[in-house]
Amino acid sequence: ITKHLPSPTAIQSSYETALRGMASLQQMHRTGPHIKTRPPRQPLDGKPFAKGVVLKTLIKKPRKPNSANRKCVLVRLSTGKEMVAYIPGIGHNLQEHNIVLCRVGRLQDVPGVKLKAVRGVYDLAHVVKKTQ
């Protein structure tokens, strides 16, 4: 019975990678600083507006000190993403399959809401004034 042993070069290369350590000053000078690339935090990929179709109306709860329910909609955008958008103002007429225009605008006290719906465009009406 013969056992297969790794070659001496394989042992040497694994030993070197384990004890490689820091780069020399010359290597650091040659390559320059190591900068991590962060993923972009743009909800609409740098575009100001996006059209979308309402999939569902939602009521979201805000973070700790606030308590009023926030009216939101789940929207499938023209970019293909599904995101939650906030409906500003009092009262709305949105339901499933309506079309809305979404702009970038974070809702600070509700986690995960990075868009706002634009009132008065497509199927989302203006805020109705109360009559006295």
Side-chain angles (χ1 to χ4, degrees):
I1 301 169
T2 58
K3 291 191 176 182
H4 179 69
L5 294 172
S7 65
T9 55
I11 294 171
Q12 181 69 26
S13 64
S14 65
Y15 180 73
E16 284 175 1
T17 55
L19 298 177
R20 187 169 53 207
M22 291 288 293
S24 67
L25 285 176
Q26 179 58 38
Q27 285 172 311
M28 287 161 60
H29 177 71
R30 203 168 48 231
T31 58
H34 175 71
I35 299 166
K36 280 187 183 177
T37 56
R38 294 204 173 126
R41 292 185 58 210
Q42 297 175 319
L44 295 180
D45 304 323
K47 297 174 180 66
F49 298 100
K51 191 161 99 169
V53 180
V54 175
L55 301 176
K56 190 193 220 177
T57 57
L58 309 166
I59 292 176
K60 292 270 198 181
K61 302 267 195 296
R63 283 205 193 103
K64 198 57 177 282
N66 300 335
S67 63
N69 292 332
R70 307 280 183 249
K71 312 302 185 288
C72 301
V73 284
L74 186 65
V75 180
R76 175 174 285 123
L77 298 170
S78 56
T79 58
K81 293 181 184 176
E82 282 186 19
M83 298 188 83
V84 178
Y86 172 67
I87 306 167
I90 299 170
H92 69 87
N93 59 341
L94 285 184
Q95 47 194 341
E96 205 176 335
H97 307 302
N98 280 7
I99 294 175
V100 291
L101 187 71
C102 295
R103 68 179 171 88
V104 178
R106 201 167 72 88
L107 197 58
Q108 279 84 352
D109 60 355
V110 181
V113 179
K114 299 183 182 75
L115 301 177
K116 288 182 180 173
V118 180
R119 302 290 308 233
V121 184
Y122 301 132
D123 294 337
L124 181 57
H126 288 284
V127 178
V128 179
K129 264 192 173 179
K130 289 183 181 175
T131 56
Q132 292 182 355

